Amino acid sequence: MKFSVIFEAQLTDPTPEREHQVIRDSVEQAVLAERMGFDRIWAVEHHSLKWYAHMSAPEIFLTWVAAKTSTIRIGHGVVCMPFAFNHPARVAERAAMLDLLSGGRLDLGAGRGGTQQETSLCGVDPDRTTQEVEEALRIIGKAWQSDELEYHGELIDIDPHPILPRPQQLPHPPLFLACSRTETLTQAAELGVGALVMGFAGPESIAAMRTAYDAARAARTDARCVSSVVNDHFSVLCPTIVLDDGEQARRIGVRGQRFFAQSIGHWYGGAGVPDEAVVAGVDEAAEMRRAAEQVVARLHEQHIPVRPTATATFHADHAYGTADDAIAYVERLRDAGADEVMCLIQMGTVPQEACLETLRQWGEKVIPHFRAA
């Protein structure tokens, strides 16, 4: 099993000074992750999502990290693939350059960037995002299969052109797709790309998602694959804070996750702005339950069916506590079918000291447990 760290660059009270600091803090965490034995980092592209994600140019962040490291894999996961965000040929060029400069360490994930806030910024047609993401993956899958790329699809035509430079990993870096629903898991498996899975609903939900992914893999034919190279890697999100004081770790972690849930709810579901106040003595788990109930009530008021994943971000049973607690939780993820655990540590209210200590605890205690096994 592989272990990675994922970055959104979240922050409360996003003044310019604090925003600049959170980017520098993320670099420090990424460099430490290599020293602690992590296999990969991921950085997620989003646009204009104040509080939730200030990582608008992860290709720059990842290049900076690649220059400061030598072994850890560099995951650009995800790139917003709709054409008005990033033309597929430009994604291929940037990916190849980063793969080359990093010594063949790049992994490339695709996503929609489908919030109204993001699509309206760049003139993206929300109704075409899913189809454009798939076409972009097909273009990247073909980009270096011959001396020149030529592509004629339903949405875009590219006459013969060389795509330069060529990546070190041929025919291309491993491809992934962000997956939050059964439909996208099926799509990823049919396209022959890895799955980057939101894991907030817990190991039981992950097991069901793995089952859906494997069923689609078993039924896959070459007709829909985007490349001659298939990637069946199944990566799962794992919110975590690990300290010697398990109760303190849980308080910090659940508070950070509540901020995450509030900020994602603001941009994806029209909820209010995140509550940035940290009040001593607050029962964060109870606040999480109350917030989930509010989400359900709001969906009912708008006559929107409540899906099982609707309140998943408010589920607080994750790798919070001591190293032993984290090991026990990761064992459940492993048994659910995870090939990789993507540690979500950098959440808006979590102090840098807790992020760094969590990375140390994972590197010194959690990862060695599974390496030995």
Side-chain angles (χ1 to χ4, degrees), residues 39 52 71 114 135 154 183 185 223 251 267 302 323 337 361:
D39 299 288
Y52 176 63
T71 59
E135 285 220 0
E154 295 183 15
E183 295 91 329
L185 283 163
R251 284 194 302 272
W267 293 118
Q302 298 174 4
Q361 294 267 351

Side-chain angles (χ1 to χ4, degrees), residues 193-205:
V193 302
L196 301 175
V197 178
M198 295 284 277
F200 281 109
E204 291 75 19
S205 174

Side-chain angles (χ1 to χ4, degrees), residues 52 54 98 106 156 251 258 316:
Y52 176 63
H54 291 241
L98 179 51
L106 181 67
I156 193 170
R251 284 194 302 272
R258 184 155 69 89

Side-chain angles (χ1 to χ4, degrees), residues 150-264:
E150 181 176 8
Y151 183 86
H152 302 287
E154 295 183 15
L155 303 179
I156 193 170
D157 288 294
I158 300 175
D159 292 328
H161 287 81
I163 303 299
L164 306 172
R166 288 88 165 177
Q168 181 162 324
Q169 298 177 96
L170 293 173
H172 51 73
L175 301 177
F176 291 81
L177 179 66
C179 300
S180 59
R181 308 183 314 278
T182 301
E183 295 91 329
T184 46
L185 283 163
T186 300
Q187 182 187 19
E190 290 176 347
L191 299 181
V193 302
L196 301 175
V197 178
M198 295 284 277
F200 281 109
E204 291 75 19
S205 174
I206 292 298
M209 297 174 84
R210 179 74 206 219
T211 298
Y213 184 68
D214 287 344
R217 285 172 56 205
R220 178 174 61 211
T221 66
D222 292 342
R224 286 205 68 197
C225 286
V226 299
S227 173
S228 61
V229 177
V230 169
N231 176 26
D232 286 333
H233 195 74
F234 192 80
S235 300
V236 173
L237 194 72
C238 177
T240 181
I241 296 295
V242 175
L243 307 171
D244 288 333
D245 185 336
E247 284 302 313
Q248 182 187 18
R250 180 167 175 78
R251 284 194 302 272
I252 292 173
V254 175
R255 177 65 188 102
Q257 188 182 329
R258 184 155 69 89
F259 177 85
F260 184 106
Q262 288 176 321
S263 57
I264 198 173

